[in-house]
Amino acid sequence: MKSSSIYDILPFVKRPNQYLGNEINARRKPWDETALRVALIFPDLYEIGMSHLGLHILYHILNDIHWAMADRAYCPDKDMETLLREKGLPLFGVESRRPLKEFDILGITLAYELCYTNIITILELAGIPVMSQDRHDPAWPIVIGGGSSAANPEPVAGLFDAILIGDGEEAIVEIADTVRSWREAKGTKNEISKALSRIKGVYVPGLYRSIYEKNGDFKAIEPINADIPDRIYRRILPDLENAPFPDRPLVPYAQIVHDRLGIEIARGCTRGCRFCQAGISYRPVRERTPEKVMELFDKGLKATGWEEISLLSLSTGDYGCLTPLLTSLVDRYLDGRLSISLPSLRVGTLTQEIMAQIKRVRKTGFTLAPEAGSERLRRVINKGITEEALLETASSIYCMGWSGIKLYFMTGLPTETLEDVIAIDELARKVLARAKDRQNVTVSVGTFVPKPHTPFQWERQLTLDESWERIDLLKKKIRGHSLKLKWHDPRQSLLEGVFSRGDRRLISIILRAWRLGARLDAWGDRFRPDLYHQAAVEEGIPLAGYLGPIDTGRPLAWGHIETGVKAEFLLRERELAFKEAYTKDCRGSACQGCGVCDFKEIKPVSFKDCTLPPHKNGGTKEAEVSQQERFFYSLSFMKIRDARFTGQLEMAHSFHRAFRRAGFPVVYSGGHHPMPHISFGPPVPVGTEALGEPLVIGLTRPVSQEELLTALNQELPDGIRITFAERTASSRIPCHKKADYLIHVPGYRPESAQKTVGEFNAAVSWPITRWRKGKELTLDIKQAVESICLAASGETSGSQAADSWLDSIERDSEDQGLILRLTMLHDEGPRPKPAEAAGAILALDEDALARLRILKLPSGGHP
């Protein structure tokens, strides 16, 4: 009996492309030609994981080492998890398709506390013991964590063999080399644990034990041996300018959350917001030169074809050369209709000049983060934003044509009163009052979580009832046509707070909640808070105990993790908060004395002088768009093999980016959201292969047929190829009233099918019932099917590509089944899909439908 494979599963899952690992620029190094294999894992869905810059950086660093290879994996969605279990398939690296348990290292990103159960899902699906203490055999992968949540890794420390604290660019190479040497020496688990612990920034939880008071209070974490360091010091990359960065970033087909080219222009922030963990954990500020940033954008855009770029930083507006850099970027890329995103812009840094540059590209919504409604509370948190400055900024945004502003606030900040909560509504209305016409304000509210290593790490977090009370108060006040309120689920914030400041005992709750069914907790539609409360009761660990205030003299569960910022500094900032005193940013003033910098190797790096030359072409003006000469080309393309799992929207993105990578000047529409002129025929269902699909593209210069075919086919994904191209006078897709399909039906006897097909052909009608958007719909497929018959043995379609497809069916299918020929009409109105029609005629169940292989043959005269 043939064993199951991923192809037995993909027809049943949503967005199957996310599991194929066939992205543009994927490295795919040979498994047998490398000494060390690493699977980099993001414990959330693909659309989140592929948006995480840190994983991309490590992926390229490791693959640039000749003796190492890096593959990727993500947490599967629930449908995929279920099918992997049903088919007995282990979770795998998406590029190599190798089971995760065959890798030498699993590197798991700790990005967010509500992803912890996903780590268990990944390890369990991989067939790997979940707890490090159960992985004694050196054959098991070394499981290593790292990321922002590693600031306090204790709640999940038991899952990991080692955890990297801090920046990974240099440390990942040292870790990989250490594991490689250990593998070659055939060492023991204890030997690799000690070897990893000698790398700066690497924490090996198994070499430490937690100690508790008799009443259950946390007392200390101490090393089990005298030769183990009692503190783990954060790894800090001193030089961002020369740090490795992907020249050819991965480009997904499936849409992801941040579907754009992001370049990190700076790392670290010293604004000193007292609630901000990242502001502590990523100090000091290290900027890239604007010249380097431009170089990375040039290389990245040529290699990816992305339509949007983003300048990434904790505080992008504080970048020393932001205005000249932004001007150069807009001048250079405006002709290519490129969008530019600037996250993390503070009110004080959002100048008229910056807004004018953003406006040249695209007017999107602006997000401003006052964090607190009253000036008093903003002084407490050291936000440094006055109401006057905020309102002036809002006026400028509205006057320059933007339609919406989003304001982000937190409730439950230290010293907050109900007056401070009411001030959120008052401030939002003042911002809206600066609007001119048909403009709006969206207020987004989240519950404050006291994070480790911040001046507020000792403060209490609101109870669930208190959080809902504040939201209910704001719901009564913030209402109206132009004023909208959104809020983060306080139940998620509660768990975030518990796991942020928790200790090792919490792993029992996480494991039990997972066994009860907790999955993908960061997603609102999947979140089951009741499972955590049930798990806490069953484990006898009250969650509320982790939300209360902590005496500043008590030991902290994360006290052995050293970020470089002194505890004395945090305590001083806490005292200044209660005095409502402001601490200046050391970027433009005296050193704050936080303790991170040694001013030799570790020091602030910023640039005020910019030498970027002006770009010769300032970009195409809006009025010139309609005057551009346009040349239209009619193309035919095939999508076969893995490309059959690409949906229509994914296909459109793939072609658009391929045209951009190939350097073809695509015609764009006008307006604030210019769109490329690329037209496709009727969508081909996901899972269906096709040999002659039509496409019309508009270009601003003429090109030859050979140039189009050669250049595009070099840039298109595997399984997609242009087969025909010609100049056309029309910008419209040719209309074909019918389409021919070959359908392989495994496990179906030809004699039975012959009888059923004959009955169908003789019938006057053949009604079927289906559900669409919750409504029952009856279709007569006799009105949609012109003809259907069985293909005779050895019969071909007359096309070399179709013959090759038939050969692959014979080669790959254990059960030959039969081949149907189906001709469907493309009249207006609701129509069944080919699989639906064949299934209705042959009375196929859902499993049989999913196993159909369908090939759409070329329509019209194009090959």
Side-chain angles (χ1 to χ4, degrees), residues 4-54:
S4 297
S5 77
I6 185 177
Y7 296 103
D8 297 316
I9 289 178
L10 292 179
F12 295 95
V13 301
K14 296 174 291 185
R15 304 175 71 195
N17 228 349
Q18 63 186 304
Y19 303 109
L20 289 172
N22 58 356
E23 298 90 347
I24 294 294
N25 299 328
R27 301 291 286 268
R28 302 190 192 94
K29 294 179 75 172
W31 180 271
D32 294 327
E33 295 179 14
T34 51
L36 188 83
R37 296 102 177 193
V38 182
L40 296 171
I41 302 171
F42 196 91
D44 205 333
L45 297 183
Y46 176 91
E47 60 203 86
I48 304 294
M50 271 294 288
S51 301
H52 190 263
L53 180 61

Side-chain angles (χ1 to χ4, degrees), residues 7 100 146 270 393 455 680 760:
Y7 296 103
L100 291 182
T270 47
T393 300
F680 291 85
F760 174 81

